[in-house]
Amino acid sequence: MLLSNKTTLITGASRGIGRAIALLFASEGSDVAFTYLHSEESALSLKTEIEALGVRCLAIKADAADYNAAQDVVKQVVQEWGKIDILINNAGVTRDALIIRMREEQWDEVMNTNLKSAFNYIQAVSAVMARQRKGSIISMSSIVGLNGNAGQANYAASKAGIVALTKSVAKELGSRNVRVNAIAPGCIETDMTSALSDQNKEAILQMIPMGRVGQPEEVAKVALFLASDMSSYISGQVLQVNGAMA
């Protein structure tokens, strides 16, 4: 198994891409700690599924945008398991609106949940991984963070920030053998995309040369590659998973 004896911390993993990553990593031998904010039922169900795969699991209710909560989560995982080998910054929200109508709270919520949360957890685990002299940090960006999108200035800015954060921290932590990368998914079948109208979904499909949306498991496999020794000399990179959409 690719992640035997590893420990992974994932933010926002009770559904969608985070859930797929948690299950795949557990199936590859990693203990998995994950945070959730709202759906305790989904979180406990995921915890049961992970433990059924023969690894340990911690399900921790915490707001990823809360700096002090991030520090506490990391301390809890280290106290329980003694280390953190892999961090996945996955927590994210959308609050779409054209810039002329966007409210300040829509901007702030998206930036705090999507970008500040990544800073919170990267800072919290960086000292741990530096002491270990090993680690892999993976953050979720987006095709929108690379190309922009009308009506999503807040989301695009937060995901573009992930790219710059990734490249900067990779340079800072590289000497400690800590690798830092990002994944930029295109249109993936999650709760976010299921909320789109049929007309919007059809318009998006017309822009994807492969003719279909991606699955959370396809993003999870890229995360597995970046977390494992298969990518031992890859850092500071952004891997796109978009069916040739961009």
Side-chain angles (χ1 to χ4, degrees):
M1 292 189 285
L2 290 173
L3 302 179
S4 294
N5 301 316
K6 300 288 188 181
T7 64
T8 301
L9 172 58
I10 309 171
T11 64
S14 62
R15 58 185 182 175
I17 291 172
R19 186 178 188 279
I21 292 172
L23 289 171
L24 179 59
F25 280 31
S27 72
E28 289 290 340
S30 178
D31 295 323
V32 176
F34 69 88
T35 68
Y36 67 98
L37 185 55
H38 298 298
S39 180
E40 184 168 2
E41 182 178 353
S42 296
L44 294 179
S45 174
L46 175 59
K47 184 176 188 293
T48 299
E49 289 185 64
I50 290 171
E51 291 175 337
L53 293 169
V55 298
R56 298 175 294 180
C57 182
L58 293 172
I60 306 169
K61 186 172 184 178
D63 183 354
D66 185 321
Y67 179 85
N68 291 325
Q71 298 286 325
D72 291 342
V73 168
V74 169
K75 287 177 184 176
Q76 182 177 341
V77 176
V78 173
Q79 286 172 356
E80 290 281 343
W81 296 341
K83 62 175 183 171
I84 298 175
D85 297 299
I86 302 156
L87 168 67
I88 310 287
N89 287 308
N90 175 72
V93 296
T94 56
R95 297 290 182 266
D96 296 349
L98 294 174
I99 195 70
I100 197 168
R101 298 192 185 99
M102 187 175 291
R103 301 188 307 275
E104 181 183 9
E105 56 266 30
Q106 289 177 299
W107 175 274
D108 288 346
E109 183 180 359
V110 169
M111 295 300 287
N112 287 338
T113 301
N114 297 3
L115 181 56
K116 182 173 180 286
S117 66
F119 159 75
N120 292 344
Y121 278 87
I122 288 173
Q123 188 184 64
V125 303
S126 60
V128 176
M129 291 183 173
R131 285 196 301 270
Q132 296 168 176
R133 301 195 75 82
K134 64 177 180 178
S136 177
I137 297 172
I138 303 162
S139 300
M140 288 296 158
S141 181
S142 169
I143 186 174
V144 173
L146 302 176
N147 294 349
N149 195 38
Q152 289 192 305
N154 50 0
Y155 187 76
S158 71
K159 294 302 187 178
I162 289 289
V163 172
L165 177 64
T166 294
K167 291 179 176 293
S168 298
V169 178
K171 293 179 182 294
E172 293 183 17
L173 298 181
S175 64
R176 297 302 181 111
N177 196 35
V178 178
R179 298 184 297 107
V180 189
N181 293 289
I183 299 173
C187 187
I188 307 298
E189 191 172 309
T190 65
D191 289 350
M192 281 187 186
T193 55
S194 66
L196 296 172
S197 68
D198 289 342
Q199 184 178 0
N200 284 339
K201 289 178 183 177
E202 184 59 34
I204 290 171
L205 282 176
Q206 295 299 317
M207 296 187 291
I208 304 174
M210 288 186 69
R212 65 175 179 86
V213 299
Q215 297 301 310
E217 292 75 15
E218 292 177 300
V219 181
K221 290 174 184 176
V222 177
L224 176 62
F225 168 71
L226 290 174
S228 73
D229 289 341
M230 290 192 296
S231 60
S232 57
Y233 197 54
I234 296 176
S235 192
Q237 304 304 308
V238 182
L239 294 190
Q240 298 189 51
V241 186
N242 61 36
M245 187 177 183

